[in-house]
Amino acid sequence: GVCSSQMALTLLGGPNRLNPKNVHQRPTVALLCGPHVKGAQGISCGRHLANHEVHVILFLPNFVKMLESITNELMLFSKTGGKQVASVKDLPDTPVDLVINCLDCHENAFLRDQPWYRAVVDWANQNRAPVLSIDPPVDGFEQAIDAKWSLALGLPLPLGDCAGRVYLCDIGIPKRVFQEVGIKYHSPFGSKFVIPLHST
């Protein structure tokens, strides 16, 4: 959540726009989350953004049973002043400053067949706001929402053309974990938590 929120804050204008004295130009972010671990990570991102005076509108569909990680993050998010909605009708009619896409997960492609998923994808594609995708699906899976930027977590995966400019986020995987799975790893991050993987 922290890395993706730092990237989002930069994309929203950084210190120029997010100045405590500049309360009249609070940016608006639509955060689109699915009912899975990546959705919980997205809610964490939204909490951090809301703590930095970003107006966050969190879309999360209603499910009878939610993962514990989602309910924990929702409890924290509810204390930020951000807005949570479960219906596409409650998303803004006007363009927002940024859409953060956390709808897809690598495990359950069946979510794409759900009516709520198709409706929120249509909303995002019609909103015309730039999109940041967090941990998008690998190449071969159609990305329903074209992203201007994508944030890969830990290691870069092969992403399709719809991923836009790709960044890599350090999620704190210890070097020994890479060794145990046979990956020769040297951290590319230096002092940063997010680095570009495209030529700048």
Side-chain angles (χ1 to χ4, degrees):
V2 173
C3 285
S4 51
S5 62
Q6 285 177 338
M7 183 169 176
L9 289 170
T10 300
L11 296 174
L12 290 167
N16 296 328
R17 182 148 184 218
L18 296 159
N19 184 323
K21 297 175 184 166
N22 187 7
V23 294
H24 303 297
Q25 291 187 358
R26 283 180 59 196
T28 299
V29 169
L31 178 59
L32 312 178
C33 294
H36 38 63
V37 172
K38 191 190 314 182
Q41 293 167 341
I43 298 166
S44 173
C45 171
R47 172 172 46 93
H48 290 291
L49 291 174
N51 284 342
H52 287 269
E53 302 302 321
V54 174
H55 179 62
V56 178
I57 302 161
L58 164 64
F59 171 86
L60 180 70
N62 283 325
F63 272 75
V64 175
K65 186 164 173 51
M66 290 282 191
L67 294 174
E68 185 179 354
S69 58
I70 288 184
T71 56
N72 291 342
E73 286 297 337
L74 283 175
M75 184 194 65
L76 292 169
F77 180 80
S78 70
K79 298 179 185 317
T80 66
K83 178 181 176 184
Q84 181 186 348
V85 301
S87 171
V88 173
K89 292 180 287 216
D90 296 324
L91 288 169
D93 295 332
T94 56
V96 294
D97 294 287
L98 181 66
V99 171
I100 299 178
N101 178 10
C102 299
L103 289 173
D104 293 305
C105 69
H106 300 287
E107 302 85 36
N108 297 331
F110 76 90
L111 290 174
R112 293 168 166 243
D113 299 329
Q114 303 297 316
W116 65 263
Y117 181 94
R118 291 193 301 272
V120 77
V121 163
D122 288 345
W123 175 87
N125 287 329
Q126 292 169 9
N127 190 272
R128 296 196 301 269
V131 175
L132 168 62
S133 282
I134 309 296
D135 195 22
V138 295
D139 196 15
F141 284 93
E142 180 185 340
Q143 195 163 328
I145 302 171
D146 285 352
K148 186 168 184 179
W149 309 278
S150 288
L151 186 61
L153 307 181
L155 285 174
L157 297 173
L159 300 176
D161 295 335
C162 296
R165 292 180 163 232
V166 180
Y167 292 79
L168 183 63
C169 169
D170 180 2
I171 56 173
I173 300 172
K175 193 172 186 175
R176 188 173 290 169
V177 172
F178 289 106
Q179 291 170 345
E180 289 172 359
V181 296
I183 296 174
K184 192 173 185 177
Y185 180 78
H186 178 74
S187 174
F189 294 101
S191 64
K192 298 181 179 181
F193 284 92
V194 177
I195 58 171
L197 294 182
H198 57 275
S199 56
T200 53

